[in-house]
Amino acid sequence: MSVWAVLAAAGSGERLGADRPKAFVRLGEQPLLAESLARLDASDWVDAIVVAAPPGWEEPAILLAEELGCGKVSACVTGGATRADSVRLGVAEVPADAAVVLVHDAARPLLDDAVVERVVTALGEGWDGAVPTLPIPDTVKRVDGEQVLETLRRDELRVVQTPQAFVADILRKALSGSDWTDCSAAVEAAGGRVRIVDGDPRLAKVTDAADLDRVAALL
Ligand code: CTP
Ligand code: MG
């Protein structure tokens, strides 16, 4: 069973507001992308990697992979205008005989192999997809403008992280559908059964400068 990772790193990082795309902003000694790339490459669960790089940053991404000795990187594609486009372009490089596609955001650098194991092994139990999630500590309300419409049942809610694993053929079909921000939403919309597994608080996403400091402190 071959597992292909698609690493979405093509965003511009507008909210971070740096002088370069988020994937190339320094985290510790290296570009942010280095952390997730090296961790995916080192994972026994991952056979090959496709990186979606920001336009104009394909070459630096390939050089970084070489510097890190990431021998599993099989392709580096130019990302698209949205995350969904970048994932589609990355998945297009995954060969037809791949069994599983693992989609991960470079913006979540602190990838623990135990999470990869949890999502990939869930597919072996017959699920179409598996996503890491965390419980929500706060009460969440649905609102309309200033008015509260309802208070949601917290035990029915989860926040979702990446890496997300999918049966390759099911993901490919689902991605042809339109608007989605999260791959599992596309698979769910296509009728796929997606399982939740335990996420990891350290997998927090780097969105703004404060996140970058927080994640750097966890390195
Ligand atoms: N991503 C991507 N292609 C895009 C947009 C986003 O591959 N066109 C990736 C980002 O590189 C990131 C992940 O999707 O790893 C999650 O996106 P987000 O955190 O929103 O990153 P950015 O879009 O770069 O940040 P911003 O929205 O602040 O511009
Ligand atoms: Mg974005």
Side-chain angles (χ1 to χ4, degrees):
M1 180 177 96
S2 69
V3 177
W4 278 65
V6 171
L7 186 54
S12 61
E14 209 164 302
R15 287 167 289 178
L16 192 55
D19 61 352
R20 62 193 61 198
K22 182 156 68 183
F24 290 91
V25 166
R26 269 172 79 98
L27 176 72
E29 303 289 298
Q30 289 178 316
L32 180 115
L33 171 62
E35 204 60 42
S36 49
L37 191 55
R39 289 167 185 242
L40 284 172
D41 197 81
S43 173
D44 286 339
W45 296 97
V46 174
D47 297 302
I49 302 167
V50 178
V51 179
W57 290 81
E58 305 83 351
E59 203 58 41
I62 291 165
L63 286 174
L64 178 64
E66 282 171 5
E67 257 172 52
L68 295 168
C70 294
K72 292 180 186 171
V73 174
S74 147
C76 178
V77 299
T78 309
T82 64
R83 180 183 183 275
D85 289 337
S86 297
V87 170
R88 263 189 215 105
L89 291 161
V91 171
E93 294 296 315
V94 174
D97 63 359
V100 171
V101 177
L102 185 75
V103 181
H104 184 57
D105 288 343
R108 300 181 188 272
L110 302 183
L111 174 59
D112 189 310
D113 205 36
V115 181
V116 177
E117 175 173 6
R118 287 199 283 275
V119 292
V120 172
T121 54
L123 301 190
E125 297 159 9
W127 296 84
D128 299 321
V131 300
T133 69
L134 294 175
I136 297 187
D138 301 307
T139 297
V140 179
K141 294 184 188 292
R142 207 160 63 78
V143 300
D144 181 18
E146 293 182 327
Q147 191 185 334
V148 171
L149 296 180
E150 67 171 321
T151 300
L152 301 175
R153 278 192 54 182
R154 207 166 49 184
D155 59 352
E156 289 184 353
L157 299 172
R158 295 289 185 276
V159 291
V160 180
Q161 304 177 315
T162 70
Q164 304 186 351
F166 303 96
V167 174
D169 290 340
I170 291 172
L171 179 65
R172 260 191 282 265
K173 282 194 200 93
L175 292 189
S176 57
S178 58
D179 240 27
W180 45 269
T181 51
D182 165 90
C183 301
S184 92
V187 170
E188 294 150 33
R193 290 171 64 249
V194 177
R195 189 204 149 143
I196 62 167
V197 304
D198 285 341
D200 183 349
R202 287 166 52 93
L203 263 176
K205 186 157 81 79
V206 172
T207 301
D208 58 26
D211 297 333
L212 196 60
D213 293 340
R214 260 194 298 276
V215 169
L218 295 172
L219 271 177

